Every structure is written in C-alpha cells, then in structure tokens.
Amino acid sequence: MIEKLELIRTYLDENTNILSEPNKFQIQMVEGDSVFEEAIKFLSDLEPLEELQWDDNLCRSAQEHVDDIGPKGLLLYQSSDGTEPEDRIAKYGNYIDSLGENIDFGPNDALGVIISLTLDDGEEERPHRENLFKNDYKKVGIACGSHKTEYKMCVMDFAYDFIPKSLGKEYSNNKLKSNEEFNNIQKELNDMKKAKEETELKYMQMKNDYNITNNKLKESINEITKLKEELNKSKKIIEAQKKEIEQLKKKYNSQNQKFEDKLKDFNKFQNLIIQKDIEINELKQKLKQYNNVININNKNEEKKIDKCVCFISSDHEITYAIPCSGESTFAEVEEKLYQEYSRYRENNNTFLANGREVLRFKTINDNNIGNGKPVLLISPS
C-alpha cells in the first residue's frame, strides 16, 4: 500500500493539486501532497489488524443503498426517503457493539477505492480512514455500482458482529417482538461478549508478545546494523591494506628485479675477474719462463761453447748438428744456426740432413720466448 501511495504521489501536480494518473480521470485534490505524507506515516505506524470477514447481510444493506441513491445522483448516507444507515441495516439483522459505513464516489477500481478512503482528502478527522482501519470491526459487507453524476459509487457497511434476521420473523428498529426471542438473543449476545472478552484478552496477550518480540527484533536489527557498519569499516580497512600490500609487492618486485640484475652484473664481473686472474697467472707464468730464458741467455751470451749444437726433428731425434769450437760464443753459434735454418727454409721450409727430412724445427717462439729463431740444443760433444 505504501509503495502504491508513493507511486501515485508522483502524478500529483503540486502547483494545482491535480492528480493525473495514467488512464484515469483527473482528480482535483483539496490538501495536495501533505495528505499523501500523512497517510504514509499513518500506515507506517499501523500495527497489524485481523482480516475482516465477509457478511452477506451487510452486503445486502450496502447494495440497497447503491440501488437507491446511485440512479438518483444523491451523495448521502441517508436513503432517498431519509432513512438513517442504522435503520436501513437493521432490516437485515442486528449488529453487536459497533456499526459504521463508508461511501466512496468516483471512477475508482477496488484498489482506488481503498486508496481514496485511506487518504480521506479534505476530511479533517479522517472518518473514512478510521472506519477502514478500526479494530472494533470484524465483519464487512461491500456493494458497488453506477452513479448518475459520479460515474461509480461503493458502499461499505462494518460491524463487530452481525446477527442475520431469521426467516418469518420481523424486526423493527432493532427491537424483537418476543421476550423469549429477546432472551435468547440476549444470551447469545452475552456469550458473544464473553467470547469477545476472551478473544480480546488473547489478543492483548498476543499483542504484548508481539511487542516484546518486535522490540527484541528491533534490538537485533540495531545490533545487526552496527555489526554491518563495523564490517563495512573492516572491509574498507582490509581493502586499504590490500592496496598497500599490492604497492609493497610491486615495490619489492621492482627492488628484487634490480637486485637480481645487479647480482647478474656482479656475477659477470666476478667471472671476468676470475678470467683475468687466470690470464694474469698465465702471463705471470710466461713472464717467469721468459725471465728464466733471458737469464739463461744472458748468462750464456758471452760463454764459450765447446759443445755440439743440433737441430731436432718432429720425432725428437737429432737430424743435424753444428760442431762448435771452444772459441765460438753462444751468440755466434746461434747466429750461424739461424743462417743455416733460413737457407733451408727458402727451399719449401724443408731440407735433408744426414739423408733424413726435417719435419719441424722447434723454435724459440714455441717456448714463448719469441723472434722465430730455432731452439739451440746443447748436447755433449
């Protein structure tokens, strides 16, 4: 109902107070938007009510009124002959405790009638709304039909309870002709009142239980709302921490990648240093050998050689020998040997010595001493 009122409210022109629902006649409202606001608040605060029970005799009373004033175009609760609603209803039976009647005029469907009576626009005390939601009413009879000037009308007759008029018995102004019948009816009324009181007591107990349960429910809802708020705050904190963690991960990954790159460069540099150390050691070794040879050569440069100087073939056999006199120095013998080597080298790098081919000369270069001269092997004479 509240959702429907909110929807209908959107079709109201607040400047003119004209309600223009789609596919319906326009309605000139008296109070405008304020009546919607009040009705919505009323329904929001309303406690649950028992369902009204349909009563055929109340329905007959309502139908009689529709058939009476509708064709005449009257807008009255009284009949066209002046009969009051209570007297009209009494023709169909006796009501118990409470009685009421609502009439809605206008081109409304069933829901439109309920909304019109709930709004009760222009009525200061809202009597139609009060009848519609009154807890004293348990039964209802409804009749709708055509109206001469208002297009349609709908009558609702309410009562706490209604005792239909028995066939063959006449009622006048709710008074019974027979005392016996009156006593029977009175007994029935007393029983009904007792049942009503018991029902009302049960209702009050149920209402009290409902209020207690409702209060607990409200407390639970409040606690749930607080928990939801705390959960939302925790979620926001977790999301922020997740973002911070992601940023830290990215920063760590970036730093880690830089570290790995630096480590690779360091390993390359370390390997390069190791390689250079190897080369340096090799050079040191060569330098040591070179220095040893230099020292030997320096010692032997002026030394007189009285030994035999030889060429060596690839199979390490002596293939050619130059005899040396004790008057020749090492340098002189070396020069003579080199000249012999150069002379034979011109003839396709080979020569015959003692009838054998010299396949290779071991040179000073082979011993990493340099200058491409043959090695001089000094052997005993």
Side-chain angles (χ1 to χ4, degrees):
M1 175 73 81
I2 293 176
E3 291 79 3
K4 185 64 176 178
L5 286 175
E6 291 285 7
L7 176 62
I8 295 174
R9 188 179 188 180
T10 61
Y11 300 117
L12 177 67
D13 187 334
E14 295 184 5
N15 296 322
T16 63
N17 284 345
I18 294 177
L19 184 64
S20 303
E21 290 186 73
N23 303 319
K24 289 189 177 182
F25 290 101
Q26 289 185 338
I27 299 175
Q28 178 64 60
M29 300 194 70
V30 178
E31 300 175 59
D33 186 70
S34 62
V35 73
F36 282 95
E37 185 175 354
E38 182 197 347
I40 290 170
K41 185 178 184 305
F42 171 81
L43 292 173
S44 299
D45 297 337
L46 185 66
E47 294 182 358
L49 298 172
E50 293 182 22
E51 183 178 350
L52 291 170
Q53 298 177 11
W54 183 266
D55 189 280
D56 290 334
N57 292 286
L58 289 175
C59 183
R60 292 187 183 96
S61 172
Q63 188 64 54
E64 177 184 325
H65 198 48
V66 171
D67 296 339
D68 177 29
I69 70 171
K72 298 178 178 65
L74 300 176
L75 304 173
L76 300 170
Y77 280 90
Q78 295 80 13
S79 301
S80 59
D81 61 2
T83 302
E84 292 295 331
E86 184 176 357
D87 295 327
R88 167 170 42 87
I89 293 170
K91 292 188 292 183
Y92 299 94
N94 292 277
Y95 69 89
I96 297 176
D97 283 350
S98 55
L99 182 71
E101 185 174 70
N102 277 348
I103 303 177
D104 181 71
F105 297 98
N108 285 323
D109 53 17
L111 181 59
V113 171
I114 299 299
I115 290 174
S116 175
L117 296 173
T118 301
L119 292 173
D120 217 359
D121 183 38
E123 298 289 342
E124 185 175 354
E125 299 298 327
R126 313 293 187 206
H128 302 92
R129 181 195 295 170
E130 183 180 358
N131 277 340
L132 192 60
F133 295 98
K134 194 171 185 179
N135 194 41
D136 291 341
Y137 297 145
K138 306 300 180 184
K139 291 190 176 182
V140 65
I142 304 173
C144 300
S146 301
H147 192 276
K148 185 176 181 180
T149 61
E150 300 301 318
Y151 187 67
K152 286 183 179 181
M153 66 175 292
C154 187
V155 179
M156 297 179 179
D157 287 336
F158 304 92
Y160 175 79
D161 202 358
F162 197 76
I163 301 173
K165 188 172 183 179
S166 301
L167 294 176
K169 297 179 180 180
E170 295 181 358
Y171 290 78
S172 175
N173 296 326
N174 286 350
K175 293 180 180 179
L176 300 173
K177 290 184 176 181
S178 170
N179 287 333
E180 183 180 354
E181 291 176 341
F182 176 79
N183 291 333
N184 291 335
I185 295 298
Q186 188 65 40
K187 185 177 181 302
E188 290 180 7
L189 289 176
N190 291 334
D191 292 340
M192 288 182 179
K193 283 183 179 179
K194 185 178 180 181
K196 175 188 174 184
E197 290 174 356
E198 292 176 353
T199 303
E200 286 179 346
L201 180 60
K202 290 181 180 179
Y203 170 74
M204 293 303 295
Q205 291 175 347
M206 292 175 65
K207 184 177 180 180
N208 186 50
D209 292 340
Y210 167 79
N211 289 333
I212 293 173
T213 304
N214 191 44
N215 290 333
K216 290 182 179 179
L217 179 62
K218 287 180 180 179
E219 291 176 358
S220 299
I221 290 173
N222 290 334
E223 290 179 2
I224 291 171
T225 302
K226 290 180 181 179
L227 289 173
K228 283 184 177 179
E229 291 176 354
E230 292 178 1
L231 179 62
N232 290 332
K233 289 180 181 178
S234 299
K235 284 183 177 179
K236 290 180 180 179
I237 293 173
I238 291 172
E239 290 297 326
Q241 290 177 344
K242 282 183 178 179
K243 290 181 180 179
E244 186 176 355
I245 290 171
E246 288 298 324
Q247 292 176 353
L248 290 173
K249 280 184 177 179
K250 290 181 180 178
K251 186 176 180 180
Y252 168 78
N253 291 333
S254 177
Q255 295 293 336
N256 189 51
Q257 185 61 43
K258 290 180 180 179
F259 173 77
E260 289 181 354
D261 293 340
K262 293 292 184 182
L263 184 61
K264 289 180 181 178
D265 293 340
F266 173 77
N267 290 334
K268 289 180 181 179
F269 184 72
Q270 191 176 38
N271 292 334
L272 182 61
I273 290 174
I274 293 171
Q275 183 64 33
K276 292 299 181 182
D277 286 340
I278 293 173
E279 293 178 1
I280 289 171
N281 290 331
E282 291 177 351
L283 290 174
K284 284 181 178 180
Q285 187 66 27
K286 290 178 181 179
L287 181 60
K288 184 178 180 181
Q289 294 175 356
Y290 177 76
N291 288 332
N292 290 336
V293 173
I294 292 297
N295 291 333
I296 293 172
N297 287 339
N298 288 337
K299 290 179 180 179
N300 295 328
E301 187 69 26
E302 299 300 328
K303 186 178 179 180
K304 301 296 182 177
I305 297 176
D306 56 358
K307 305 293 182 179
C308 179
V309 180
C310 307
F311 285 112
I312 302 177
S313 66
S314 58
D315 55 3
H316 302 288
E317 292 183 3
I318 296 174
T319 57
Y320 187 74
I322 298 175
C324 301
S325 64
E327 299 299 325
S328 299
T329 65
F330 186 89
E332 290 173 344
V333 173
E334 181 183 18
E335 183 62 26
K336 183 177 180 181
L337 180 60
Y338 180 71
Q339 289 175 0
E340 290 292 328
Y341 166 74
S342 298
R343 180 171 61 84
Y344 289 108
R345 186 181 176 191
E346 291 176 0
N347 187 16
N348 295 324
N349 290 325
T350 61
F351 66 92
L352 293 177
N354 297 331
R356 297 178 60 185
E357 182 179 1
V358 177
L359 302 179
R360 183 177 64 87
F361 294 104
K362 186 164 183 158
T363 64
I364 296 175
N365 246 348
D366 291 327
N367 285 329
N368 298 311
I369 299 176
N371 297 326
K373 294 183 179 181
V375 171
L376 306 179
L377 296 181
I378 303 174
S379 63
S381 55

